[in-house]
Structure formats: C-alpha cells, structure tokens
Amino acid sequence: MKALTAAEMREVDRLTTERYGISQAQLMEHAGKAVAEFVLSEIARRFRSPVRKVVVLCGKGNNGGDGLVAARHVREEIRHTTVVLFGAAGELRGDPAANFAKWHHQGGECVVVNDDADWNGAATVIRSADVIVDAMLGTGLRGAATGYIAKAVEMFNEWSQNATAVKPALIVAVDTPSGLPADGEAALGPVVRAHATVTFTAPKIGQLLSAQADCCGTLVVRGIGSPSGLIEELGKGQVRWSGSEEFAKLPLVRRADSHKGLYGHVLVVAGSAGKSGAAILAGTGALKAGAGLVTIATSESVQGVVARGEPEFMTEGLATGADGGIAIDAAKDEKFAKVLAGKTVLAVGPGLGQHPRTQRFIRSLVLGTELPTILDADGLNAFAEHGELLQERKSKFLAITPHPGEMGRLMGCSTAQVQKDRVTVAVESAKRWKVFVLLKGFHTILAGPDGQVFVNTTGNPGLAKGGSGDVLTGILAALTGQFGTTDWLPVLALGAWLHGKAAETLAEDADESGILAGEVARALPYARLELLEEIRHGG
C-alpha cells in the first residue's frame, strides 16, 4: 500500500465522495467506528481487570469529529466514557458539530476546556482514565501543538512509557498522534507518544519515515470506504507500507501434493568457533520460514555442534586454518563447488568471523556465485568501506541486510550519518550497487535498485537481541527459495514482515524484554498463519 502525503489523503477523501458517493459524514462514521473497535479489542487483550474509564480528547476539526464518533461507539460497551473538548461546542462546524449533537443527545459526558479553570478540571478527568483516545489534532496540522492541547500532550507523555505510572495503560491516537506532521518534516512542538495509532485508508509519510515516527506506537491501518485503486492512482511517491495485502498474490497456501523439492534448497554459510549459534539460528529461521531443504556449511571445528542444533539440518564442514578462518578459496575449491551444486539460494555471513582469510573467502564466494544471495553480518563486514565491489558480482540478485552500523562501514561513514536519512541511504546504495538493501532498525527500510521502497512496521523491542538478524537471514533465504526472484522486493518485504510479526506474537502473553531469537524463529509458522487470516479478512 502506498504511503500518502496529507494533500494526497485529502484528495482521496474528496474523490471518494465525488466518484463513489460515500459522503464525508459516512467516512467520519466509519473512521470513528474503526477506532472504537480497535480500542475495545485492545482493552479485551491488554486488561486483566475491567476498564473503569475511557477519556476521548477531541479538537474542533475533523479529527475531533472522528473522536466523537469513537466515543459514542465505545460508550455502548463502557458506559463511563467521557469526552474532553478543547474549545467551545458552538465553535464546531459541519460533521464534527453533528456528531457532538449526537453525543450530547445520547447523554454523553463532556468536559469543555476554554480557560485555566476548565483545564484544571479536565486534567483531573484525564488522570482518572484507564484509556485515553487522542483525537485533538489530525493530519491537517500546520505548525505546533499549542495552548491547552500542548499541555495535554506533555502531561500524558509523561505516562505513556513510564512503568511506574498506573494510568493511562493505553493511549490510542486517532489517524495520527497529535502534533506529528503528516509529510515527514520535524515536529515543531510536542507530539503525543501513543501506544497505538489507528490511521485511515493509508499510512502517512510522517508515520513511517519521520524522526518522531515512533510516537505512533503500533501503526494500524483501517479502510473506511476509499477504494485501493484510488490510493494507487493518487499516491505519487515510491514509498509503500508493508501491509498484509502486499503479499496476497504470493502462493502462500501450499498445494495438497507438495514435496520438499518445490520449496527450495537453502545453503547457509555461517558459524565459526564460538559463534556456532549464529549458524543454527539462521538455519532454524530458514526451516521455520518454509524452506524444503537446508544445508549449513560451517567451520569443521563446529560442524558437530551445528548438526545437533536441529535434526533437519544437513551440514558440510569447511576446512579451517590455524587463525580460525575458513581456509579455502571459494572460487577454486572443488569440494566447495560440490556443496554449492543443486542449491537454490545462498545465505552468507552470520557468525563467520572477521579473520582476513575468512573475509577473502566471503568475497570470493559472493562475487563468484550466480545464486540469489542474502548477505548479512560478517558477510557485510568483508566488504567494509568497499561496498562498490558488490557491483562486480556474477549474481543478478543480491540482498544485503545491514543494521545502521554495518551500513556505515559499507559506505565508509558514521552510523549517525546513516540514521539521519535512512531512506536516502538505502535507495542510493541500492541504485549504485544494483542490490536490494534491507536496512534494519525501527521501521525497517527495504529499497530496490529501481528506487521502490517498502517500510516495515511489524516488530517490537524484543528483536533487540543478539541472533535476531541471523534468523532474518534464514527467513529471507527460505522465502526466496519458495517464491523466486521474478518480483523479489515483495518477497524480501514479506520476510521482514514475518520476522516482526513473530516477535509480536510472542509478546501477546509475555514481556518483550525476554524474547529470544530462537523463539522468534519457532513462532514463524504462527506469524504466517496470522498473515493468511489478515489477507482473508482484508487486514
């Protein structure tokens, strides 16, 4: 799904009404109802005891109108739902005014904020909430959040990530966190730090790529009536959000007469003394992501350890020198040529080490093979400050999966320079080296040589753990073996999506801090099942 600017989103809304007869009032009703459904589902999932109070903070514009609709629907389940309105009710116009009238007619409680005395009373109400819904400022924001809205933002931002704060346990932003610019520019004032954001129709550029994108928390996109074709027509940028619909055309459901030969034979070249776990994790990621066969070629000193990692592995021991590095020339070694024969895809790097001899082996292998290749970890370090060498390879298909530090080493720059503009770094590197770049981190960036970009928003802090990248390497290789390289970018995007979704699945009934990379690998079949369910139910 394309990410939109604020102007593009306004045009989508306008043409939805003009071409398809869905009124702005209907769009607002659908939006507010979508928020209410999400809030109620999150309450059921997150809270072990009954929620006593929901507070919906509304501005005077359409975002506030969405909030008023949401409040009305939430109140059907949770009677103690209160609206805090920033501004006089008489200042509301159009659809927001109509929805305020509905709220008032049904006896909904409203606290109006116009002066300091009002604010002090509203602050007491807000502090009493178990759940806060932020519908103060939407994507039409110009400038900074100011006045009493800015005070509200600052007040509950103190709570949003504070483990000692009893309330609120959940902050949900309507369409976008108040104060966050829609088009990716830096915020000029405070921004709501939400636990989740329910945005409508399509994600906005600022929610994916801005420096404050993490203020969205979990980003949820809900359709409210605009056809997907309209989004594709009006979105002029190259940035796409990795939503489940992007993968609907892949043959995710296996044939009844399946056999292992249909799903690729992955060769993982990984592991060394003290780093055998990296090879096991990459291999497990490949198996759990659906590879038909997995062979791990590793240092002969740890081959036995790796072989015991999973009974489904096949292993090959590679000669190791006294320095601990692999002691063969990949381009000339006849035994290794036999290892490569018959393989579908190659994954290189996890745990190989950085001995000079090992780095020569990696360069010889990556530049000499014609197999589609996933290059990660020590595989990337072998090309540090010489990323341009990647252009000399024989394979038409190479995906590199650096974290920001590894990307900086490839380019000969600092991590801070990479992080300053992750999209530009990924896109320019992909074009220059003619590779696919998967730049890991919060909101992983995937760029193709043609300039197209996917942004992945699945995942959680549980992935901030050694071995997570090794699992991702195996996943990407396995999916390449299953779905091929004809349209490789969505296949690689699926790998990042499943990796993050597996971590989310584990966090449903456990704290993120203790999630292990091996557990993420083992959760992959459940993540794939969730993907199928999302596709069947339209996200």
Side-chain angles (χ1 to χ4, degrees):
M1 179 183 291
K2 283 188 175 181
L4 301 180
T5 64
E8 289 168 347
M9 188 64 244
R10 287 193 296 273
E11 189 67 0
V12 167
D13 284 345
R14 185 183 71 81
L15 290 179
T16 297
T17 298
E18 184 178 300
R19 291 184 187 176
Y20 302 98
I22 302 174
S23 70
Q24 296 297 304
Q26 288 174 299
L27 290 174
M28 184 171 288
E29 183 68 23
H30 296 163
K33 187 175 181 181
V35 171
E37 289 172 349
F38 177 81
V39 168
L40 292 171
S41 68
E42 284 297 284
I43 286 172
R45 185 177 72 85
R46 289 172 177 249
F47 290 80
R48 298 185 184 278
S49 56
V51 166
R52 290 173 295 176
K53 189 168 188 176
V54 176
V55 173
V56 183
L57 284 70
C58 297
K60 294 182 290 185
N62 285 339
N63 194 246
D66 296 337
L68 286 162
V69 175
R72 173 160 40 88
H73 287 286
V74 169
R75 188 170 177 266
E76 292 174 2
E77 298 290 333
I78 301 174
R79 297 300 295 175
H80 202 172
T81 297
T82 300
V83 166
V84 173
L85 178 64
F86 290 85
E91 296 174 327
L92 298 177
R93 297 289 182 269
D95 296 325
N99 279 298
F100 181 82
K102 289 181 181 180
W103 176 254
H104 180 71
H105 178 73
Q106 294 180 7
E109 180 183 0
C110 182
V111 176
V112 176
V113 178
N114 279 311
D115 55 32
D116 286 347
D118 292 342
W119 166 246
N120 290 334
T124 300
V125 172
I126 294 169
R127 291 189 185 99
S128 70
D130 298 301
V131 176
I132 286 176
V133 178
D134 161 33
M136 295 181 289
L137 300 171
T139 58
L141 171 71
R142 296 290 182 270
T146 58
Y148 297 113
I149 288 179
K151 288 185 177 183
V153 173
E154 291 167 349
M155 182 176 73
F156 57 78
N157 273 357
E158 295 177 5
W159 304 331
S160 64
Q161 293 182 323
N162 184 353
T164 63
V166 176
K167 298 173 183 177
L170 176 62
I171 299 172
V172 177
V174 175
D175 202 18
T176 201
S178 289
L180 180 68
D183 295 346
E185 65 271 32
L188 298 177
V191 180
V192 168
R193 298 196 65 85
H195 297 116
T197 297
V198 181
T199 198
F200 311 125
T201 306
K204 316 309 180 287
I205 294 291
Q207 296 168 345
L208 300 181
L209 301 179
S210 74
Q212 291 93 6
D214 63 327
C215 289
C216 294
T218 300
L219 183 64
V220 178
V221 180
R222 291 287 182 262
I224 58 173
S226 299
S228 59
L230 200 55
I231 301 168
E232 296 298 317
E233 174 190 340
L234 296 176
K236 303 305 181 185
Q238 289 291 313
V239 176
R240 302 187 71 85
W241 176 64
S242 293
S244 57
E245 75 284 346
E246 294 288 344
F247 316 121
K249 293 182 180 179
L250 292 172
L252 296 165
V253 178
R254 295 195 162 182
R255 293 163 33 181
D257 62 346
S258 292
H259 58 83
K260 61 180 180 284
L262 293 174
Y263 304 117
H265 190 162
V266 173
L267 176 62
V268 179
V269 181
S272 60
K275 297 181 179 179
S276 57
I280 294 170
L281 288 168
T284 304
L287 285 172
K288 288 292 189 177
L293 294 166
V294 174
T295 294
I296 300 179
T298 190
S299 168
E300 59 186 5
S301 64
V302 299
Q303 182 183 3
V305 176
V306 173
R308 290 191 292 272
E310 292 285 353
E312 293 86 355
F313 291 157
M314 293 177 282
T315 62
E316 297 282 351
L318 303 180
T320 307
D323 61 0
I326 294 173
I328 62 173
D329 183 332
K332 299 177 180 178
D333 190 271
E334 293 184 3
K335 180 182 176 183
F336 190 72
K338 293 179 180 178
V339 173
L340 281 170
K343 305 305 187 291
T344 308
V345 58
L346 178 65
V348 182
L352 283 174
Q354 299 183 44
H355 297 288
R357 183 181 291 181
T358 302
Q359 293 191 329
R360 288 195 296 272
F361 162 76
I362 292 169
R363 289 191 289 268
S364 173
L365 172 58
V366 172
L367 299 181
T369 187
E370 295 183 358
L371 289 173
T373 301
I374 312 297
L375 187 63
D376 184 38
D378 289 328
L380 295 168
N381 290 327
F383 291 89
E385 298 188 24
H386 297 288
E388 69 279 358
L389 288 176
L390 297 172
Q391 300 175 76
E392 301 176 11
R393 70 189 189 276
K394 292 182 179 179
S395 176
K396 294 180 180 179
F397 299 100
L398 173 63
I400 62 174
T401 62
H403 58 58
E406 291 165 339
M407 192 75 220
R409 289 194 287 274
L410 281 175
M411 298 176 63
C413 69
S414 69
T415 301
Q417 288 174 293
V418 172
Q419 292 292 76
K420 186 176 181 180
D421 191 349
R422 288 161 50 83
V423 173
T424 298
V425 165
V427 169
E428 291 185 353
S429 299
K431 289 180 177 179
R432 185 166 65 250
W433 300 332
K434 296 180 174 59
V435 300
F436 293 77
V437 176
L438 192 151
L439 181 55
K440 293 181 286 197
F442 177 76
H443 288 190
T444 289
I445 307 294
L446 175 61
D450 63 355
Q452 191 173 20
V453 175
F454 277 89
V455 181
N456 183 69
T457 59
T458 63
N460 58 39
L463 293 173
K465 191 73 60 76
S468 291
D470 304 328
V471 172
L472 177 60
T473 299
I475 295 170
L476 298 172
L479 296 177
T480 300
Q482 291 165 75
F483 304 128
T485 55
T486 301
D487 191 10
W488 204 21
L489 198 67
V491 173
L492 298 172
L494 173 60
W497 191 97
L498 288 171
H499 187 236
K501 181 60 72 171
E504 291 179 5
T505 299
L506 292 168
E508 288 179 0
D509 56 3
D511 186 74
E512 298 162 348
S513 64
I515 292 173
L516 302 181
E519 294 169 340
V520 172
R522 288 186 282 277
L524 286 167
Y526 304 97
R528 190 155 165 166
L529 180 61
E530 286 197 37
L531 172 63
L532 290 171
E533 291 176 348
E534 286 194 21
I535 291 172
R536 287 171 184 143
H537 293 95

